Amino acid sequence: MSEYLADDRPIDEAEFTRRACDPAASVVVEACAGSGKTWLLVGRIVRLLLAGSEPSEILAITFTRRAAQEMRARLLRDLQELASAADESVVASLCARGMPPAAARASIGRARTLYERVLTARVPLTIDTFHGWFWQLLARAPLGSAVPFAPTLAETTGRLRADAWLHFNAALARAEHAAERAAWERLLDAVGEEAARNLLLQMLDKRAEWWSFAAGDEERAIARALQPLAAAGKDDPRAALRASAFVPALRQLLACWQSLAKAGNHVQAAIDAAAQWLDAPAPDPVQDYAAACALLLTTEGTPRKALAPEAIAKKLARDDGAYAHAHAAACAELQRIESAVATWRAYRLNEAALPCGRLLIAIYQRLKEQEIDFTDLEWHAHRLLADPDCAAYMHSRLDARYRHLLLDEFQDTNPLQWQVLQSWLAAYDGSGGRPTVFIVGDPKQSIYRFRRADARVFDAALELLRRDYGAAHLRTNVTRRNAAQVIAVLNRVLPGANPLYQPQSTRSADTGAFVLLPPVAAVA
């Protein structure tokens, strides 16, 4: 693989930087750790300012407040250097950010003014987190938009969640929540108390996604959520085993085993177990199915080798394929039932969990009153840009201000955050005046799944921006941070462990060393 790619074509480093920093183009950059992603983003901001963009027209979003502060500090430091450095240093700095030498030299005067322009801008350049930007959106929300008036932000919600759980348990004892109490009891029977509690708390964490799915009608939303699983039916599929194709197939197998001139220990054990299973009355469906599986399948659910056609057919007096056919039919039926059981369990689990989760969410929201948390921020921002009653007003405010959108560490974006951005971008519908979009990240570094981040959002954004914005897709696996020995070990170990990993190279002059420490003995 080439060190630098543009839409899967090899390019050199200079071309990579030129295209990434081009202020007129939309770009998606996929780059490994230590490759200079943030430097590239800040360099693009410098080029935007140099091309005449006002500070107020630029919106840069990153994942944490610390990262936003560091990005702002780096930008101001770079602009200060452009303001005070010698001419040749300014030219070198601009060339490093993708400008041709002649254009860089002609831009020296403008480059020296950027620091003052940014510091004295009446409306400042916005470098913020998603949640910080969403807070700004809420401040611009029109009256009647159902955004709480003068809300306070609850940055820590542990106490609120604990209180909501206590209130949830109290609510289950009341007559009006008899249906939810019955569902909770089924959930406890299915997975136990700790797993049931964790399941509902996860739904609480993802309540914005639930609201988006429900679209204002939570009763129908539960039915819609269950519909894909409804094919399994409401009865345990294992109860129908005795009426399935498994029984005649097993009788055929038993006849073949009994016809063998000499049955080994494995076959004799199968004969005895099959005869007993066929003659015995059907016990509990779960036990009956487990006993049937034990006849032909291993504990991993694969066919037992000792009873496979290749082991038995050669011992038969006449091999007409009947054994292989019966064996395949019996195993396939057991595996079909196993798949149906998994779907049935999922149906039962969701049927019980969704009403309980809905009640817990309602209690949690009621306890917060005028407080909103980060999930609420995302939900209100999504609703403001997607709801026809508010969207036109919000889009006009956004379109009048921002002309350039830059997104750092995009692999940590969650689907709802992307939906907010997509609602904004989709409003242009091919019309003029759409902003340029710059995305940089590395899907294999996505580490915030616990905050609902999903690396697949990166692929969705890439597809949309390539289709609607003509965005280039730039990729590099050149790091400037990691030592050569570290990279060598990673290139040996990770390709088989992570399908997203591509071999890396390094510009670091440090050879380094990779030291594998011995295991630490457990402390009694």
Side-chain angles (χ1 to χ4, degrees):
M1 176 180 176
S2 175
E3 290 186 333
Y4 297 94
L5 295 173
D7 298 321
D8 295 322
R9 288 188 306 102
I11 58 174
D12 60 23
E13 183 177 3
E15 177 68 4
F16 180 92
T17 304
R18 184 193 69 77
R19 297 189 66 169
C21 292
D22 182 355
S26 292
V27 183
V28 177
V29 177
E30 188 175 339
C32 65
S35 59
K37 294 188 290 292
T38 303
W39 179 90
L40 207 60
L41 188 147
V42 171
R44 185 178 172 92
I45 294 176
V46 172
R47 290 288 306 278
L48 288 169
L49 293 167
L50 202 57
S53 296
E54 292 298 324
S56 61
E57 296 176 336
I58 299 172
L59 169 63
I61 297 176
T62 189
F63 197 69
T64 66
R65 280 179 287 195
R66 180 178 177 180
Q69 292 165 357
E70 290 177 352
M71 188 184 299
R72 180 178 297 278
R74 183 180 296 191
L75 173 64
L76 293 177
R77 183 174 64 248
D78 289 355
L79 296 182
Q80 187 177 29
E81 289 177 359
L82 290 174
S84 58
D87 286 358
E88 291 306 317
S89 294
V90 172
V91 171
S93 180
L94 296 181
C95 288
R97 289 164 174 79
M99 290 190 75
R105 190 166 296 280
S107 302
I108 293 174
R110 279 178 291 138
R112 295 195 182 282
T113 68
L114 298 182
Y115 186 54
E116 181 180 3
R117 279 180 56 203
V118 169
L119 287 180
T120 61
R122 185 177 62 85
V123 180
L125 186 152
T126 303
I127 299 178
D128 211 338
T129 63
F130 267 112
H131 293 130
W133 181 55
F134 291 163
W135 188 262
Q136 293 182 40
L137 290 181
L138 265 61
R140 300 188 183 101
L143 295 174
S145 61
V147 173
F149 177 73
T152 58
L153 181 62
E155 296 196 40
T156 58
T157 58
R159 178 63 181 272
L160 273 170
R161 286 159 59 89
D163 287 349
W165 187 253
L166 292 175
H167 281 75
F168 168 77
N169 281 278
L172 293 178
R174 295 198 288 270
E176 65 266 28
H177 294 303
E180 288 86 353
R181 181 170 64 252
W184 173 244
E185 290 171 353
R186 292 197 304 273
L187 195 58
L188 289 177
D189 290 340
V191 297
E193 184 174 3
E194 183 176 1
R197 181 177 185 273
N198 289 337
L199 184 62
L200 297 194
L201 290 175
Q202 287 178 29
M203 186 172 173
L204 179 63
D205 291 337
K206 297 186 177 182
R207 64 191 183 281
E209 285 84 348
W210 168 248
W211 291 331
S212 179
F213 176 78
D217 191 339
E218 297 193 23
E219 288 289 349
R220 289 189 178 181
I222 291 177
R224 283 193 292 120
L226 293 174
Q227 186 57 42
L229 303 171
K234 295 190 176 182
D235 297 322
D236 189 338
R238 290 169 292 196
L241 176 62
R242 293 279 174 163
S244 73
F246 173 76
V247 174
L250 181 61
R251 293 189 186 280
Q252 179 67 42
L253 292 177
L254 179 59
C256 290
W257 292 334
Q258 290 172 333
S259 71
L260 296 176
K262 184 178 181 181
N265 292 337
H266 291 293
V267 174
Q268 187 59 53
I271 292 173
D272 295 341
Q276 182 179 359
W277 189 89
L278 289 167
D279 293 340
D284 173 78
V286 176
Q287 296 176 7
D288 196 37
Y289 174 72
C293 287
L295 291 172
L296 296 174
L297 304 179
T298 66
T299 54
E300 289 78 25
T302 58
R304 293 169 56 190
K305 291 182 180 179
L307 300 177
E310 54 269 27
I312 298 297
K314 59 187 178 183
K315 300 178 183 179
L316 295 171
R318 184 168 61 89
D319 180 14
D320 57 0
Y323 183 84
H325 177 76
H327 184 271
C331 291
E333 188 64 14
L334 291 175
Q335 291 166 340
R336 182 196 67 78
I337 292 174
E338 179 64 26
S339 177
V341 168
T343 303
W344 173 75
R345 283 173 174 161
Y347 178 89
R348 296 282 292 173
L349 189 65
N350 283 275
E351 184 186 40
L354 288 171
C356 295
R358 178 186 171 194
L359 176 60
L360 178 60
I361 290 170
I363 290 171
Y364 178 81
Q365 291 298 109
R366 190 163 60 245
L367 288 175
K368 285 198 289 92
E369 297 179 347
Q370 284 299 104
E371 283 188 304
I372 61 175
D373 62 14
F374 290 127
T375 298
D376 294 321
L377 272 177
E378 294 174 1
W379 171 247
H380 285 304
H382 164 71
R383 192 175 49 77
L384 287 170
L385 290 175
D387 186 342
D389 294 334
C390 303
Y393 174 82
M394 296 302 298
H395 284 303
S396 67
R397 300 293 295 272
L398 288 169
D399 300 347
R401 178 171 179 183
Y402 299 121
R403 312 304 309 153
H404 306 283
L405 173 62
L406 303 96
L407 300 153
D408 193 20
E409 303 292 357
F410 194 75
Q411 74 276 358
D412 291 322
T413 303
N414 70 47
L416 195 63
Q417 292 168 342
W418 167 237
Q419 186 62 52
V420 173
L421 295 172
Q422 193 175 9
S423 295
W424 174 23
L425 299 177
Y428 289 97
D429 195 24
S431 60
R434 63 174 34 162
T436 65
V437 182
F438 177 82
I439 285 176
V440 62
D442 183 7
K444 65 179 176 292
Q445 290 187 66
S446 183
I447 59 174
Y448 285 97
R449 190 66 179 266
F450 67 96
R451 294 185 182 175
R452 306 180 1 258
D454 190 333
R456 291 173 296 180
V457 172
F458 196 102
D459 295 331
L462 172 62
E463 180 182 353
L464 181 144
L465 293 174
R466 294 180 80 166
R467 183 188 68 234
D468 297 344
Y469 283 68
H473 180 203
L474 306 181
R475 289 189 289 162
T476 181
N477 280 312
V478 179
T479 179
R480 290 170 170 78
R481 177 189 306 158
N482 296 325
Q485 291 288 348
V486 174
I487 293 299
V489 172
L490 294 179
N491 286 343
R492 287 200 306 270
V493 172
L494 288 183
N498 186 338
L500 296 176
Y501 184 85
Q502 295 289 335
Q504 298 181 10
S505 58
T506 181
R507 294 286 191 269
S508 173
D510 183 11
T511 57
F514 194 94
V515 180
L516 184 62
L517 298 176
V520 177
V523 178

